[in-house]
Amino acid sequence: MSYFRAENLSLHFGGLKAVDSVSFAVEKGEILSIIGPNGAGKSSIFNLISRIYPPTSGKIYFEDQDITGQPSYEIAGLGIARTFQNIELFENATMLSNLLVGRHRHSTTQLWQELLFLPSVRANEKAHRRRVEQVIEFLDLEVYRDKLISGLPYGVRKVIELARALCSEPKLILLDEPSSGLNVEETDDMSFWIRDMKTELGITVLMVEHDMTLVNRVSDRVIALNYGRVLAMGSPAEVQRHPDVIAAYLGA
Amino acid sequence: MRFLFKTDYEDDIRLFPHSGYFVSYGVLLALLVIAPFVLSSYIVSQLVFVCIYATVGVGLMILTGFTGQASLGHAAFLAIGAYTAAYLQQFDVPFPVYFLAAGLLTGLVGALVGFPALRLQGIYLVIATISFAFIVEEVLARWESVTHGNEGMRVKTMSLFGTMVPRDGPVFYFLCLSVLILTIVGTLNLLRSPTGRAFVAIRDSETAARSMGINVSLYKVKSFAISAGITGLAGVLFAHKLSFISPEMFTLQLSIEFIIVILIGGTFSLHGAVLGAIFLVMIDPFLTYLKDDMPGVIAGLAATFGAGKATADGIQSSVAAFASANGLKGAIYGVIIVLFVLFEPLGLYGRWLKIKLFFQLFPLYKRATFKRQKIYVKSERNR
């Protein structure tokens, strides 16, 4: 049994088949990249996994449990965190409070305890803060701790979104185009962090990415999609040599 | 300018970040404590209204300012609190019991309103809450066996642990003040714990909140319940202060007044609720001044500048007619809201922060510091 599995996953918008019976599996501890031209259905697969859309048909399994019918907040509770292609941070808050929201699935305190701010709440807050600081250190974000998100540059926000996902201590992380909008150095950093996430934190990574340098550098396996269907699956080199993939990209 | 050197995570958790806060809030508290003994009973009575309005403001701030759910139905919650108190009082229920009962009942009603509101956003939510307020108003007018309908209900003088608490005495003032302070402290506690962060997360991006494991529906209902509950508590004090309640007191205009409280004060901070309440309570004396003194003053001015007696009298009567025109209050509210939304969207507290920053950074303050910037990268809103 695989760690994470999608079976015949489909998402139809009327006649448009955004995702057309896609099946794939992610093994524990691997980095799997999904590539494909624009509109191939990559982000839609992510939105299906995190239940922003309900799938038209198909099943999703995580740790041998059927999670297809779970509401979206439960998905995060199971340990599947995600980032967004177009950054969805809480703009009017500091980076620190953004990251603390990432800790939400680990909060155990009750409303009445919070109203009185009992010692247990205080202790919990400090524990959350300690975990958040570890992530801040991991991603070199110390200087931005008390800065408002609305005043930060795009590249930094991208990293902060990754940090927020990491704060929830996920088992599986979904990265939607982690390098989009980043410059060359930032993309380099990103590739190191993705590797470190796998080796140091033991997180399984599923990512959608356009930058083939990044894909080649970090991925264990690659899936190529086009028109909502799987074209090829395998090591980065294999997939790039696959005639269907070349045809999809170059139109040959 | 003060620089804070943080050495402990506690530094980011505590309510007063540095000793300066103790001094300023200590002085404020001391002034508020001696207020009823030095100020006239009229001003103390106005202060009581400030406390009540500010309490409602804090409640509404939780819902609108922090969770991002607009409500024009808070007059109804206030009414439910007030009527619960008046009703239970008939059976000699002691004050602490019916005070809490009113809060709980209103909170429950708030949660019930929250459920249908889950599917609504923006203007539709506003319409839904207005409808709710109308329903409550109508129920209060028709359910005569409980509410005495349009005759209204008399609210007896509060008796607290066997002693009478007259509505214009200092004890009642202290009671309202402590309710306000406790509400503010409770809300601040909430805001620095997971629930408060979840509220703010929902306000800023529901999609992101959901993908971080926040049960958006549950927290919206919680926000409605807490907000309504606080308003219900304020309703009990409101009923006691007025000593008589009837359905036509809890109209749409009252709900709009609450919106003014948070809008004028500034929707991003609890300071705003208090500042807004002060502002709102000051409108009434201003209107009285407008009615009583303005016509005479203007006519006097006109006379000084050479207008004849007849003209001056004409001016006096027309100004008086204007000042006592029906609906002037509503018009003034409208103008105030429009002006604030246009020129000071951050409200009075935002203005205060700007003034503070100006002096902290003097002479380096830039006018663009608070300029709002728009960023168009929110294509994945999925709304």
Side-chain angles (χ1 to χ4, degrees):
Chain A
M1 271 299 178
S2 340
Y3 191 56
F4 175 90
R5 199 148 46 88
E7 269 177 17
N8 300 320
L9 209 55
S10 297
L11 174 66
H12 298 176
F13 297 110
L16 176 75
K17 293 174 178 177
V19 179
D20 191 5
S21 87
V22 167
S23 302
F24 62 90
V26 187
E27 302 302 330
K28 193 175 165 72
E30 78 169 340
I31 299 176
L32 177 65
S33 299
I34 304 180
I35 61 166
N38 289 327
K42 309 180 295 292
S43 293
S44 295
I45 289 182
F46 272 24
N47 287 342
L48 286 179
I49 297 173
S50 58
R51 291 284 304 170
I52 288 174
Y53 303 133
T56 313
S57 64
K59 293 261 180 235
I60 304 169
Y61 297 91
F62 180 58
E63 293 183 322
D64 294 331
Q65 187 190 345
D66 183 358
I67 61 165
T68 324
Q70 305 270 27
S72 53
Y73 60 88
E74 291 277 355
I75 301 289
L78 289 170
I80 302 181
R82 72 166 290 178
T83 65
F84 293 84
Q85 187 177 353
N86 300 313
I87 304 179
E88 286 279 346
L89 284 168
F90 310 118
E91 299 260 336
N92 305 314
T94 59
M95 180 187 89
L96 197 59
S97 36
N98 265 275
L99 298 192
L100 283 168
V101 173
R103 297 289 307 163
H104 187 86
R105 83 177 179 100
H106 299 281
S107 62
T108 50
T109 46
Q110 299 297 313
L111 188 62
W112 65 273
Q113 296 172 317
E114 291 171 359
L115 277 172
L116 300 172
F117 215 74
L118 296 181
S120 63
V121 180
R122 192 177 289 266
N124 264 322
E125 282 302 300
K126 285 190 189 166
H128 287 325
R129 179 68 191 272
R130 226 166 280 131
R131 299 291 310 176
V132 164
E133 289 296 332
Q134 287 170 357
V135 174
I136 290 180
E137 201 187 344
F138 179 71
L139 295 176
D140 286 339
L141 287 168
E142 287 89 347
V143 279
Y144 307 110
R145 209 176 268 128
D146 292 321
K147 296 268 190 331
L148 283 182
I149 298 297
S150 52
L152 293 177
Y154 191 86
V156 177
R157 293 186 196 200
K158 203 89 196 172
V159 182
I160 293 176
E161 217 193 10
L162 178 64
R164 188 180 61 182
L166 285 181
C167 282
S168 70
E169 292 177 50
K171 299 173 196 161
L172 171 69
I173 192 166
L174 312 176
L175 304 176
D176 200 347
E177 303 202 15
S179 81
S180 74
L182 300 187
N183 64 28
V184 183
E185 292 96 61
E186 287 167 338
T187 311
D188 266 358
D189 288 344
M190 187 60 85
S191 70
F192 290 126
W193 284 324
I194 293 173
R195 281 255 147 223
D196 285 353
M197 266 161 31
K198 175 187 158 181
T199 51
E200 284 181 28
L201 306 177
I203 299 172
T204 310
V205 181
L206 177 60
M207 72 172 187
V208 161
E209 183 52 67
H210 276 299
D211 184 340
M212 287 314 288
T213 338
L214 181 62
V215 171
N216 287 332
R217 204 183 296 168
V218 302
S219 319
D220 297 311
R221 281 192 309 139
V222 174
I223 297 177
L225 288 183
N226 199 19
Y227 297 116
R229 293 183 152 275
V230 177
L231 289 182
M233 215 183 286
S235 73
E238 278 167 26
V239 169
Q240 277 178 66
R241 278 199 307 270
H242 197 284
D244 287 350
V245 176
I246 295 170
Y249 272 93
L250 301 177
Chain B
M1 206 174 166
R2 188 193 295 263
F3 290 97
L4 289 178
F5 293 100
K6 296 177 184 169
T7 51
D8 190 347
Y9 296 152
E10 187 74 32
D11 292 334
D12 277 335
I13 295 177
R14 63 170 64 103
L15 288 179
F16 297 134
H18 59 76
S19 52
Y21 283 72
F22 285 102
V23 177
S24 44
Y25 283 106
V27 169
L28 180 65
L29 189 67
L31 288 177
L32 287 171
V33 167
I34 60 166
F37 305 110
V38 293
L39 296 174
S40 71
S41 66
Y42 171 73
I43 296 183
V44 173
S45 160
Q46 294 301 88
L47 279 177
V48 167
F49 276 113
V50 168
C51 290
I52 294 173
Y53 272 82
T55 310
V56 179
V58 170
L60 188 56
M61 192 75 86
I62 294 175
L63 186 66
T64 306
F66 294 112
T67 321
Q69 310 298 307
S71 164
L72 264 179
H74 265 57
F77 294 130
L78 195 77
I80 292 170
Y83 270 93
T84 312
Y87 183 74
L88 289 180
Q89 215 187 21
Q90 297 170 340
F91 306 103
D92 292 326
V93 177
F95 170 77
V97 176
Y98 68 71
F99 184 64
L100 292 178
L104 284 177
L105 179 72
T106 321
L108 200 67
V109 175
L112 290 178
V113 175
F115 277 109
L118 288 179
R119 295 175 174 277
L120 303 171
Q121 289 194 329
I123 189 79
Y124 304 103
L125 184 59
V126 173
I127 293 170
T129 49
I130 291 179
S131 330
F132 163 72
F134 278 128
I135 292 169
V136 169
E137 206 184 318
E138 206 58 25
V139 168
L140 293 178
R142 301 290 169 89
W143 195 6
E144 296 191 350
S145 58
V146 174
T147 67
H148 298 256
N150 283 322
E151 276 173 34
M153 284 177 101
R154 201 142 268 301
V155 183
K156 280 176 275 180
T157 305
M158 178 194 297
S159 105
L160 190 58
F161 305 118
T163 48
M164 293 309 242
V165 181
R167 65 196 174 100
D168 38 15
V171 180
F172 187 71
Y173 162 78
F174 285 127
L175 182 72
C176 293
L177 185 64
S178 32
V179 168
L180 173 62
I181 292 173
L182 288 178
T183 314
I184 291 179
V185 171
T187 310
L188 287 175
N189 283 342
L190 204 60
L191 288 172
R192 56 182 173 157
S193 42
T195 307
R197 285 196 296 268
F199 286 166
V200 177
I202 290 171
R203 177 191 70 190
D204 282 358
S205 167
E206 274 187 32
T207 310
R210 221 172 262 133
S211 68
M212 285 297 113
I214 294 169
N215 184 345
V216 173
S217 318
L218 177 70
Y219 277 94
K220 275 188 185 173
V221 170
K222 271 190 189 174
S223 179
F224 259 101
I226 296 169
S227 175
I230 292 174
T231 312
L233 294 180
V236 179
L237 300 176
F238 189 73
H240 274 294
K241 180 65 192 164
L242 296 179
S243 80
F244 172 78
I245 49 174
S246 69
E248 69 262 27
M249 292 165 133
F250 304 98
T251 52
L252 182 60
Q253 177 156 340
L254 190 62
S255 293
I256 293 177
E257 285 184 13
F258 296 147
I259 291 286
I260 291 182
V261 166
I262 62 165
L263 204 66
I264 303 303
T267 40
F268 61 100
S269 161
L270 291 185
H271 294 91
V274 179
L275 290 176
I278 296 172
F279 184 90
L280 189 81
V281 170
M282 270 164 47
I283 291 182
D284 264 330
F286 173 72
L287 280 176
T288 323
Y289 165 79
L290 216 61
K291 260 180 218 160
D292 298 349
D293 300 344
M294 268 295 259
V297 170
I298 292 180
L301 273 178
T304 338
F305 285 105
K309 171 115 178 53
T311 341
D313 282 350
I315 291 173
Q316 176 156 9
S317 59
S318 56
V319 172
F322 174 76
S324 47
N326 248 341
L328 181 67
K329 203 173 174 183
I332 288 181
Y333 285 166
V335 170
I336 290 171
I337 292 183
V338 170
L339 289 181
F340 264 90
V341 168
L342 276 180
F343 298 112
E344 193 60 278
L346 296 177
L348 290 173
Y349 187 61
R351 174 50 58 187
W352 162 246
L353 287 184
K354 287 176 196 174
I355 294 170
K356 210 161 94 173
L357 193 69
F358 177 81
F359 285 106
Q360 278 176 347
L361 297 180
F362 188 81
L364 298 170
Y365 182 81
K366 288 183 296 225
R367 296 194 72 177
T369 309
F370 284 93
K371 205 165 173 65
R372 280 180 297 175
Q373 45 174 319
K374 285 209 166 105
I375 298 157
Y376 298 98
V377 287
K378 295 278 175 194
S379 62
E380 235 184 331
R381 277 291 188 203
N382 298 309
R383 276 195 171 163

